[in-house]
Amino acid sequence: MHYVLRYPASALACACLSFPVWAQQTGDNTVATTASAETANLDTVTVTGQSAATKTETPIVETPQTVSNVDRAEMDERGVRTVREAAQYTPGVYTNQVGASNRYDYLVMRGFSDGSLSNTYLDGLKVMGDANGYSSMVIDPWFLDNVEIVKGPASVLYGRSSPGGLVALTSKKPLFENRNELRFSTGTNSQRSAAFDFSGPLDDERRVAYRLVGIGSKSDTQFDHVEEERYAIAPSITWDATDDTSITLMAYLQKDPEGGYHSGVPYEGAVSRHNGRHISNNFFDGEADYDKYERTQRMFGYNLEHRFSDNVTGRQKLRYLNSDVELNQVYGFGWVSPDSNELNRYYSGGRESLQAWTVDNQVEAKLESGFIDHTVLVGVDYQKRKNDVTWTYGSFPSLDAFNPSYGADPEAPGIYTTADERHELSQTGIYLQDQMAIDQWRLTLGGRYDWVDIKNKNHLTDSESKLDDTQFSGRVGALYLFDNGLAPYLSYNTAFTPTSFVDAEGDLLEPMEGEQWETGLKYQPPGSRDLYTLSLFRINQENVATKEQPSDPYRSVGEIRSQGVELQARTWLTDNFRLQAGYSYTDIRYTKSDDPEEDGNYAIYAPRHQASLWGHYAFDRGALDGLDAGLGVRYYADVYADRANTETVPDYTLVDAAVGYDLSQVGLQGVSARVNVGNLLDKEYVASCNSLEYCYFGAERNVTATVSYQF
């Protein structure tokens, strides 16, 4: 039986689905998002980073929702190469959804993978992509100052989003003091990269500053015949036009000529033996002449801020994005027969061109009414996306998984077009939020109303499907801040997730809707950088979209529930020794399904147990002065391999390490060196599966050596 795999994995890689399309791709503890260093000029007003959970600068300990933060220093310390790696030590966030693939930043939060590709925000604006396509954007972490992870629904401020949470990225902004850096790296799999970061004022009055950040990188991968390659540059300029007005113009240009590997192999062969043998974790199931993923993305925008008075500030953020994606992929799908060593193989192709606009207008006011201090935020935002897609399909000769021989061409009737479509989406939202301080109480009330229009035009059948929907999202939160730093809280949030998936009749599915209750305890000892959080949550989502086979139409299967507990600690045991630890228990399962046998089953891509520990020590005296070292452990357990819950992925533990040295200790001023090792013990493991036909190998040991020069 031949399946027509025309569905992009970015659309299908979610806990609510039976599988993604396998052919496709698929600091500071006080303030949640740190302000960029351009605020060094205290006489001017600049656009500072906003807390993603509230869109205002709110301390994490005073936010009635779970928020985790990874700053620039930690990203450098751990040598992160993707946003996924930045979040590896965050409890409740699963980063191994597609194993060793680096094509997309899959982040499964609290068990929900329906937003694992689409819930990324850069400088407060959604990085628009097409969940029903290959056009999902990624931002290289070299261009970031901060990664903020908000757990739970955030529709009250952002509109359509996953109930699992969102990831807010803060880009590097212009500095009003000179700072320049060159960085060179090399490592395993022929890694090599060169990067630069230049910034400083452009005038004597320090009213105008610039920043120019860039990187070029290339490497082989652990999979035969596959490479990764990237070139990106981000110029920006900040102008403090007056003492009350500032504007930052930004661009981000990235080209990925080679997008790496994105495929899998059957559970029998990856986890268990097939005919007495295991498939190598370097195995390539495609054809080099028919393997390509090329993505070009361009973003242009600005952040404008004006202070009307000491208590009233207005902001406008705008971005235009366009991208072109080209995919060719031959992939295996299932054994030819139980006794055969050969995999069935098919071809999937895609050509996509996406354009998107996003704008967010805000007014923030600090008011007093009797004994209550208010921080009121009023906003109107708009998002529009248009993606023209052409998808193709074909069949290829089978391949021996244990003794592969390449060089095949498509079988008759060759490669043909299965879809020629335009996907359009627009969303307009108005929102109001009031953060109230009543003595030591912190109360948050918020509401938002959205108008969402989705339209899919099928040029092959000359048919069209539409969805016009309105949604109200709300939030209520209460927190009490004790003098000793303890802060218990309780909150309620809602979320909605409209999709462009269609059912058997060709109609768009109703939006998925979710709600969350969360309670917890935060603790930040007064005057310290330490932060400890405990949270308990329960999320319910309705109208969950799913499908059984790739050629099947989508349907709304019913309801899914996620509940659990998360613990996180970030503490300085001494001035030199930092320790961060995390644990999460996530119980996510189908509570209502049109298939009674699925009721009560666990979702895939969601470890029930996840734990991590990272320690870092910086020496500052004696013979080891200038040396720093880090060691981390990550543990994952109880990951189901299929929706029927017949098999699980074996539990696995990974060890990471880092060591760095400041070479100014030996006279090389501004020069430092670092070695980072991921999967130090070279553990061979299967990271996850989306079905028993498709499992993903985890990343093998990788070593990266970096030399930096700051001047």
Side-chain angles (χ1 to χ4, degrees):
M1 178 184 239
H2 288 184
Y3 297 125
V4 180
L5 298 185
R6 44 155 291 192
Y7 305 97
S10 54
L12 309 180
C14 60
C16 60
L17 307 175
S18 56
F19 41 77
V21 124
W22 9 101
Q24 282 96 30
Q25 299 34 282
T26 346
D28 189 316
N29 292 325
T30 303
V31 178
T33 302
T34 57
S36 297
E38 72 267 19
T39 55
N41 185 352
L42 299 180
D43 295 330
T44 63
V45 176
T46 57
V47 181
T48 60
Q50 301 299 304
S51 165
T54 61
K55 287 191 177 179
T56 64
E57 289 190 11
T58 305
I60 290 180
V61 74
E62 296 184 26
T63 303
Q65 195 167 353
T66 303
V67 180
S68 300
N69 199 58
V70 182
D71 61 19
R72 181 72 250 170
E74 184 179 339
M75 285 188 273
D76 288 340
E77 176 184 296
R78 293 199 279 112
V80 303
R81 299 170 299 168
T82 63
V83 171
R84 284 191 306 114
E85 290 185 358
Q88 278 180 341
Y89 285 84
T90 302
V93 180
Y94 185 52
T95 61
N96 284 341
Q97 180 179 347
V98 191
S101 175
N102 293 321
R103 184 171 294 175
Y104 299 127
D105 281 318
Y106 293 96
L107 293 169
V108 180
M109 292 175 279
R110 291 187 168 172
F112 289 91
S113 57
D114 56 328
S116 65
L117 288 171
S118 59
N119 265 15
T120 300
Y121 291 77
L122 177 65
D123 298 323
L125 296 176
K126 191 178 186 70
V127 180
M128 296 284 285
D130 187 355
N132 191 21
Y134 304 107
S135 298
S136 291
M137 307 302 106
V138 299
I139 307 297
D140 194 287
W142 173 245
F143 296 85
L144 303 177
D145 264 338
N146 197 75
V147 176
E148 184 182 355
I149 300 164
V150 179
K151 313 285 186 57
S155 288
V156 68
L157 293 178
Y158 297 95
R160 61 188 182 97
S161 64
S162 167
L166 64 83
V167 180
L169 312 178
T170 301
S171 62
K172 293 178 176 178
K173 304 294 197 313
L175 309 176
F176 284 89
E177 57 185 20
N178 290 312
R179 183 187 183 280
N180 304 293
E181 181 177 0
L182 297 173
R183 179 172 295 190
F184 303 93
S185 299
T186 187
T188 52
N189 286 320
S190 300
Q191 295 179 58
R192 59 273 198 201
S193 73
F196 58 85
D197 182 358
F198 303 142
S199 189
L202 290 175
D203 65 328
D204 294 336
E205 295 182 356
R206 293 178 180 261
R207 286 285 187 180
V208 183
Y210 82 99
R211 194 155 190 172
L212 183 63
V213 187
I215 192 171
S217 63
K218 189 172 183 177
S219 72
D220 297 334
T221 69
Q222 76 181 59
F223 304 100
D224 298 332
H225 310 292
V226 183
E227 296 181 343
E228 295 175 352
E229 187 175 3
R230 171 169 298 163
Y231 305 97
I233 190 168
S236 59
I237 187 169
T238 293
W239 176 34
D240 290 341
T242 71
D243 290 345
D244 296 317
T245 304
S246 177
I247 185 170
T248 299
L249 305 176
M250 299 170 289
Y252 183 83
L253 309 172
Q254 178 175 304
K255 185 176 183 63
D256 297 342
E258 299 287 349
Y261 185 72
H262 197 290
S263 193
V265 297
Y267 185 94
E268 184 184 317
V271 178
S272 61
R273 294 180 180 273
H274 176 76
N275 292 337
R277 304 170 72 177
H278 278 110
I279 300 173
S280 167
N281 67 347
N282 307 123
F283 171 65
F284 173 60
D285 57 347
E287 289 289 343
D289 292 340
Y290 294 87
D291 190 84
K292 179 178 184 179
Y293 183 83
E294 181 176 342
R295 171 177 51 208
T296 304
Q297 57 189 57
R298 316 161 191 90
M299 294 187 287
F300 306 91
Y302 65 81
N303 289 355
L304 173 66
E305 180 174 295
H306 177 72
R307 185 172 61 190
F308 296 97
S309 69
D310 290 342
N311 296 320
V312 180
T313 302
R315 305 182 189 94
Q316 184 181 74
K317 303 179 180 183
L318 179 143
R319 179 184 300 129
Y320 169 73
L321 178 152
N322 71 56
S323 74
D324 298 298
V325 171
E326 182 176 352
L327 165 79
N328 300 318
Q329 182 171 351
V330 176
Y331 59 94
F333 182 66
W335 299 106
V336 171
S337 68
D339 297 329
S340 174
N341 289 336
E342 295 192 341
L343 294 171
N344 296 305
R345 290 198 303 171
Y346 306 97
Y347 168 88
S348 186
R351 306 293 181 272
E352 302 189 358
S353 179
L354 179 144
Q355 298 183 61
W357 288 91
T358 57
V359 61
D360 188 8
N361 304 284
Q362 310 169 9
V363 175
E364 179 183 339
K366 297 184 183 299
L367 311 171
E368 294 183 7
S369 61
F371 58 91
I372 305 177
D373 294 330
H374 299 264
T375 299
V376 178
L377 183 71
V378 180
V380 179
D381 64 24
Y382 174 73
Q383 305 174 16
K384 183 176 179 62
R385 183 204 70 213
K386 178 179 69 176
N387 193 24
D388 292 305
V389 308
T390 301
W391 297 330
T392 53
Y393 171 80
S395 179
F396 262 72
S398 59
L399 181 71
D400 191 322
F402 305 111
N403 185 27
S405 177
Y406 303 104
D409 291 315
E411 295 179 329
I415 295 172
Y416 56 92
T417 300
T418 59
D420 182 3
E421 301 176 352
R422 169 169 287 185
H423 304 159
E424 296 185 63
L425 177 146
S426 65
Q427 171 189 299
T428 302
I430 57 174
Y431 57 89
L432 172 65
Q433 175 181 264
D434 189 1
Q435 295 172 268
M436 293 168 278
I438 308 173
D439 192 20
Q440 290 173 285
W441 283 98
R442 303 292 184 266
L443 305 178
T444 302
L445 295 175
R448 177 185 173 106
Y449 200 79
D450 276 291
W451 293 263
V452 179
D453 296 321
I454 301 175
K455 181 169 64 176
N456 284 358
K457 173 69 174 179
N458 189 325
H459 299 297
L460 294 181
T461 61
D462 196 25
S463 60
E464 189 174 82
S465 55
K466 295 182 179 180
L467 174 68
D468 297 330
D469 191 46
T470 58
Q471 289 283 340
F472 175 81
S473 306
R475 167 163 62 186
V476 180
L479 180 146
Y480 189 83
L481 187 62
F482 287 95
D483 291 334
N484 62 2
L486 286 172
Y489 68 93
L490 174 67
S491 65
Y492 172 79
N493 293 314
T494 64
F496 78 101
T497 313
T499 72
S500 53
F501 303 144
V502 296
D503 61 18
E505 285 72 42
D507 297 322
L508 285 157
L509 297 182
E510 290 297 314
M512 296 181 280
E513 300 180 24
E515 62 177 4
Q516 171 186 270
W517 285 96
E518 179 178 332
T519 186
L521 179 66
K522 303 184 180 186
Y523 177 52
Q524 183 173 20
S528 78
R529 297 174 290 176
D530 297 351
L531 182 66
Y532 308 87
T533 62
L534 164 66
S535 56
L536 296 94
F537 63 89
R538 182 167 185 165
I539 305 172
N540 292 301
Q541 187 182 44
E542 300 176 345
N543 301 329
V544 179
T546 190
K547 60 192 302 187
E548 294 306 316
Q549 296 292 344
S551 55
D552 290 346
Y554 281 97
R555 70 184 197 279
S556 292
V557 66
E559 299 179 9
I560 196 168
R561 183 198 66 213
S562 175
Q563 58 186 2
V565 59
E566 295 168 357
L567 299 95
Q568 185 166 358
R570 185 183 181 95
T571 180
W572 274 257
L573 300 180
T574 70
D575 289 340
N576 304 78
F577 186 28
R578 188 186 84 251
L579 193 67
Q580 57 192 73
Y583 168 77
S584 59
Y585 172 78
T586 306
D587 182 313
I588 180 168
R589 60 178 78 192
Y590 298 92
T591 54
K592 187 181 296 183
S593 174
D594 56 359
D595 181 356
E597 294 184 0
E598 292 179 351
D599 286 351
N601 284 5
Y602 291 96
I604 57 175
Y605 300 136
R608 270 191 290 174
H609 299 278
Q610 185 173 328
S612 63
L613 179 68
W614 175 267
H616 179 261
Y617 190 89
F619 297 87
D620 62 358
R621 66 190 63 183
L624 298 180
D625 188 11
L627 182 71
D628 71 275
L631 186 67
V633 179
R634 295 176 282 131
Y635 172 72
Y636 307 91
D638 296 341
V639 183
Y640 277 95
D642 61 329
R643 262 185 53 185
N645 290 177
T646 57
E647 300 287 353
T648 60
V649 173
D651 304 348
Y652 56 95
T653 301
L654 305 174
V655 179
D656 307 312
V659 61
Y661 186 67
D662 180 2
L663 292 169
S664 65
Q665 300 296 322
V666 294
L668 297 176
Q669 294 300 319
V671 181
S672 61
R674 176 166 297 279
V675 175
N676 292 93
V677 186
N679 191 4
L680 177 67
L681 305 181
D682 202 18
K683 168 76 173 178
E684 292 191 13
Y685 64 101
V686 172
S688 64
C689 303
N690 60 36
S691 72
L692 297 185
E693 299 296 343
Y694 229 70
C695 294
Y696 302 103
F697 287 118
E700 63 186 3
R701 178 169 54 214
N702 58 85
V703 182
T704 305
T706 303
V707 175
S708 300
Y709 174 46
Q710 295 187 7
F711 57 99

